[in-house]
């Protein structure tokens, strides 16, 4: 969202720009229809981390306590990056997969319907 300043000479500093995170970037990640987690989580990740490491090493620490997590068939997961479907390359970095600072990443697990009737 753009901001219009009251004065034309106003120049504010972005306090959440990537250069403030010591080589890390913020990633918003949510698991659709599994509302044990009410909102996407925001985590710092290195842009050079392989996508496969996100799936295998990071997500279990975030969502592993959910009773459905162990039943995920990762071959059936549908990924959305910025609201658009995409197929990640597990061997490529987050940056190479188009995942930058403050990207919204969502996963859908069609084989695990989650909360019946949830909006997303």
């Amino acid at each position: 969202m753009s901001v219009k300043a009251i004065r034309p000479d106003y120049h504010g500093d972005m306090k959440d720009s990537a250069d403030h995170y010591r080589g890390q970037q913020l990633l918003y990640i949510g698991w659709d229809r599994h509302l044990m987690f009410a909102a996407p989580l925001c985590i710092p990740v290195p842009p050079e981390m392989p996508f496969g490491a996100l799936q295998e090493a990071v997500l279990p620490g975030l969502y592993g306590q959910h009773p459905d997590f162990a039943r995920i068939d990762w071959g059936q997961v549908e990924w959305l990056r910025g609201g658009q479907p995409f197929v990640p390359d597990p061997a490529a970095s987050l940056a190479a997969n188009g995942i930058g600072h403050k990207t919204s990443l969502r996963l859908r697990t069609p084989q695990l319907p989650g909360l019946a009737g949830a909006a997303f």
Side-chain angles (χ1 to χ4, degrees):
M1 178 171 99
S2 63
V3 175
K4 184 173 181 176
I6 295 173
R7 297 185 345 222
D9 62 337
Y10 176 79
H11 301 285
D13 293 328
M14 298 283 294
K15 300 298 183 191
D16 63 350
S17 60
D19 60 313
H20 290 274
Y21 292 93
R22 299 184 180 119
Q24 306 257 346
Q25 62 186 27
L26 296 181
L27 172 64
Y28 292 93
I29 187 157
W31 184 8
D32 286 2
R33 299 180 60 98
H34 287 76
L35 300 179
M36 181 172 156
F37 305 93
L41 305 173
C42 183
I43 59 170
V45 292
E48 64 276 358
M49 177 171 56
F51 190 91
L54 176 72
Q55 179 179 313
E56 295 169 12
V58 177
L59 293 182
L62 299 175
Y63 293 115
Q65 65 185 344
H66 193 290
D68 282 347
F69 187 80
R71 299 178 23 219
I72 294 175
D73 176 353
W74 291 100
Q76 298 296 313
V77 169
E78 299 169 357
W79 294 97
L80 292 101
R81 179 188 57 212
Q84 299 299 314
F86 90 110
V87 178
D89 176 352
S93 70
L94 296 176
N97 272 292
I99 299 170
H101 184 58
K102 300 200 295 184
T103 293
S104 171
L105 185 65
R106 295 182 5 230
L107 64 143
R108 291 183 176 162
T109 50
Q111 77 281 14
L112 301 171
L115 183 64
F120 32 97

